[in-house]
Amino acid sequence: MYKVLVVDDEPLMLEGWKTMVDWHACGYELCGTATDGEEALALIRACDPELVITDIRMPVLDGIGLIRAMKEMGHGAKTIIVSAYSEFSYAQHALRYEVDRYVLKPLMTDEIHSLLLDMAASLEECRQTAASSRKMQADAAADAIVGLLGNGGPAAADTAARLLGVNERTRFRLMAAESIGESGESESGKSPIAVLMKTLTEALIIDGMRAWIFEESPGLAGLLIIDNDLNEEQFEVWLEETVVKKGWPPQELAFYCSETAIGLHSVPNLYRQALEIRSRALLGSKAGIYSYRERKVTGQWNLEDMTAYVRALLQAIESNDLPGIDRSVDELVGLFGKSGAEESLMQTAVRHFRGELLRRYAERGATHREASEWLHQLLDGTESADIASWTSTSLKRLSVKATEQFTVKEKPARANSNAITEAIDYLKQHYREKIRLQELAGRFHLNPTYFGQQFKRETGHSFHDYIHRLRFDEACKLLRRTDMLVSEIAAALGYHDTEYFTTKFKALSGELPSTYKSKRQG
């Protein structure tokens, strides 16, 4: 989909652009509308459109002024001028600023559809050129960073500074990552860890940070990050939440985070910190997030003991052994006291414990998003998100709450099976409504984790996939048999976002709803 911004000071014209043009069928997404040039410039910075369609006569800043401002800010979107004025002077102004097309009002829907389809080839060429340029820049930056790690001296530092756009006052952090037990390639032909690092780079940019991927040794990807206001612990929390949010299995990934330091001359040392963490006992073969800060503070790591006590605590939770929970937490806290570094090891243990809870909950049939939501529900204001403030009392309280999700109450197998069947029947009647797995499980008095497992066993699909499939079947009927708009069908089926509905529909059918409709009704 090519992103489009439409600018016109006439409300009726804007409404016409929204309703008369079948953007999706032409391969476009209307990402915004504006009523003058200044408002349009703000939207251009926010949504970065690939095509801007603008009226020529507008208050505040007209179409020609808007295009001139776009050129000055270096934005390369294609442009179409729309005007009710056919005087040659306007066309001359438009051509001066390399406007791609000049269209006169009144507009005809077929004409606009034809124009959009005609421009698709040049837009795709621009997209490919930009992607190629970004790849070349990324490759050059990666080579410069690797050269820096090889102690390339002042020349390597100067090259890196120029390519990265940094100076001697820039503060950096560095992270290395690898996939535990990684094998093969993804569908894109890249290793899973390379795909993950690209995803993390994009997430960092969205959150106002900058980062560059590099690979100094096979299988170990690095990320050089311009530091912002996040301290080490806050960055690790961001990293954990982002990995879960993006759907990557935390139990299959290992991250090694350095301290922060100022200047490119510090980068080789930051990388050595990451490698040192990786070389510690167990870290090269066990998933998790590990920081040089913790190694520096604790001095002597007792990871074997710590992971053993956490494992015992998790076993007590899963077996609903309340005395065992008390005993395991007390032993864990006792370990901190013996180490002489109670605060740092407590934070390490809590992070490891939290990650293991997420992993085990996900293994019981929940999606990673559901697992993350479940953990936030466990906290529910009773525990601080700042793990530095956790105590043995809060850890015990959290563990007891977790037993409610991991413990399946004894029920006759036939009764459980009947409850799942009733739940499926209920969904077939109410799939248009907003239904949460936890709420439906509660309706039939079942543990949510157990319910999710049994539901998938009965249907062959996860809870959410099953709902989408029910909605998809109904959407197909409505598209074939009615004249309802795609947006109306999306709303009728419980989707508040038409774009999200379109994405789900295409994932199941291989085509857009509008394409499906035209083929079946044509």
Side-chain angles (χ1 to χ4, degrees), residues 262-335:
I262 296 175
L264 281 172
H265 67 277
S266 67
V267 171
N269 186 52
L270 295 180
Y271 189 56
R272 281 193 291 271
Q273 291 178 4
L275 294 181
E276 182 179 340
I277 302 166
R278 185 185 182 224
S279 67
R280 307 296 292 189
L282 296 179
L283 297 189
S285 59
K286 189 173 181 63
I289 298 175
Y290 305 96
S291 73
Y292 188 81
R293 170 180 53 85
E294 289 170 350
R295 189 213 64 79
K296 182 179 177 182
V297 174
T298 60
Q300 183 65 38
W301 284 26
N302 293 304
L303 284 177
E304 282 193 71
D305 291 340
M306 184 268 286
T307 54
Y309 283 128
V310 169
R311 188 162 54 248
L313 175 57
L314 289 163
Q315 290 172 350
I317 290 172
E318 291 180 310
S319 59
N320 197 21
D321 179 4
L322 299 184
I325 289 175
D326 277 346
R327 183 173 60 255
S328 297
V329 172
D330 289 340
E331 290 173 345
L332 195 56
V333 173
L335 172 67

Side-chain angles (χ1 to χ4, degrees), residues 10 31 39 50 53 80 119 125 138 178 184 196 200 273-274 340 351 367 374 395 398 414 432 450-451 460 469 475 490:
E10 298 180 32
C31 65
E39 183 183 354
E50 293 161 279
I53 302 174
I80 297 175
M119 292 195 68
E125 184 179 347
E178 61 186 336
L196 169 63
L200 287 177
Q273 291 178 4
R351 249 194 308 276
T367 66
W374 168 72
L395 191 55
L398 177 65
R414 184 181 299 276
R432 296 176 181 84
Y450 174 81
F451 173 76
R469 288 177 180 276

Side-chain angles (χ1 to χ4, degrees), residues 99-378:
V99 172
D100 295 280
R101 298 294 175 90
Y102 188 90
V103 181
L104 293 177
K105 298 177 182 178
L107 304 177
M108 304 298 293
T109 302
D110 290 345
E111 179 185 354
I112 296 302
H113 286 168
S114 177
L115 176 59
L116 293 173
L117 292 171
D118 187 47
M119 292 195 68
S122 60
L123 285 168
E124 183 60 27
E125 184 179 347
C126 287
R127 181 179 283 184
Q128 295 298 328
T129 300
S132 176
S133 176
R134 286 194 298 269
K135 185 179 185 305
M136 289 178 61
Q137 291 174 358
D139 289 345
D143 290 343
I145 294 170
V146 172
L148 199 62
L149 299 179
N151 295 317
D158 289 343
T159 300
R162 176 173 50 81
L163 288 170
L164 306 183
V166 299
N167 56 47
E168 68 276 5
R169 297 183 299 279
T170 305
R171 179 178 290 274
F172 298 96
R173 71 170 78 242
L174 189 144
M175 182 186 75
E178 61 186 336
S179 181
I180 305 302
E182 176 184 323
S183 61
E185 296 181 338
S186 65
E187 293 180 1
S188 64
K190 298 181 179 179
S191 68
I193 197 65
V195 176
L196 169 63
M197 294 300 261
K198 184 175 186 300
T199 302
L200 287 177
T201 302
E202 293 168 353
L204 284 163
I205 292 172
I206 291 172
D207 289 342
M209 294 175 263
R210 293 174 62 199
W212 298 269
I213 304 170
F214 65 92
E215 188 172 344
E216 196 268 343
S217 60
L220 183 67
L223 208 59
L224 180 63
I225 304 165
I226 290 184
D227 185 47
N228 59 356
D229 294 333
L230 297 181
N231 60 36
E232 281 85 349
E233 184 176 320
Q234 289 169 333
F235 175 77
E236 290 153 24
V237 170
W238 175 90
L239 177 60
E240 178 182 309
E241 291 178 347
T242 302
V243 168
V244 171
K245 187 188 304 179
K246 297 295 182 181
W248 288 85
Q251 71 272 19
E252 297 178 10
L253 303 167
F255 298 95
Y256 316 106
C257 304
S258 75
E259 295 182 295
T260 62
I262 296 175
L264 281 172
H265 67 277
S266 67
V267 171
N269 186 52
L270 295 180
Y271 189 56
R272 281 193 291 271
Q273 291 178 4
L275 294 181
E276 182 179 340
I277 302 166
R278 185 185 182 224
S279 67
R280 307 296 292 189
L282 296 179
L283 297 189
S285 59
K286 189 173 181 63
I289 298 175
Y290 305 96
S291 73
Y292 188 81
R293 170 180 53 85
E294 289 170 350
R295 189 213 64 79
K296 182 179 177 182
V297 174
T298 60
Q300 183 65 38
W301 284 26
N302 293 304
L303 284 177
E304 282 193 71
D305 291 340
M306 184 268 286
T307 54
Y309 283 128
V310 169
R311 188 162 54 248
L313 175 57
L314 289 163
Q315 290 172 350
I317 290 172
E318 291 180 310
S319 59
N320 197 21
D321 179 4
L322 299 184
I325 289 175
D326 277 346
R327 183 173 60 255
S328 297
V329 172
D330 289 340
E331 290 173 345
L332 195 56
V333 173
L335 172 67
F336 304 153
K338 292 175 186 176
S339 73
E342 177 175 346
E343 180 181 350
S344 180
L345 272 176
M346 179 70 168
Q347 294 173 24
T348 304
V350 168
R351 249 194 308 276
H352 177 61
F353 172 66
R354 186 172 61 183
E356 285 294 300
L357 278 180
L358 282 170
R359 180 178 68 82
R360 295 187 183 210
Y361 189 77
E363 285 178 348
R364 292 170 178 253
T367 66
H368 293 293
R369 182 184 298 277
E370 290 169 345
S372 182
E373 290 176 353
W374 168 72
L375 183 60
H376 280 89
Q377 289 171 4
L378 276 185

Side-chain angles (χ1 to χ4, degrees), residues 53-84:
I53 302 174
T54 178
D55 190 19
I56 200 166
R57 283 285 186 91
M58 296 182 298
V60 186
L61 183 66
D62 64 15
I64 297 298
L66 168 62
I67 293 170
R68 181 173 60 247
M70 288 172 56
K71 299 295 182 183
E72 290 173 352
M73 64 190 282
H75 200 280
K78 295 283 185 181
T79 51
I80 297 175
I81 281 284
V82 181
S83 176

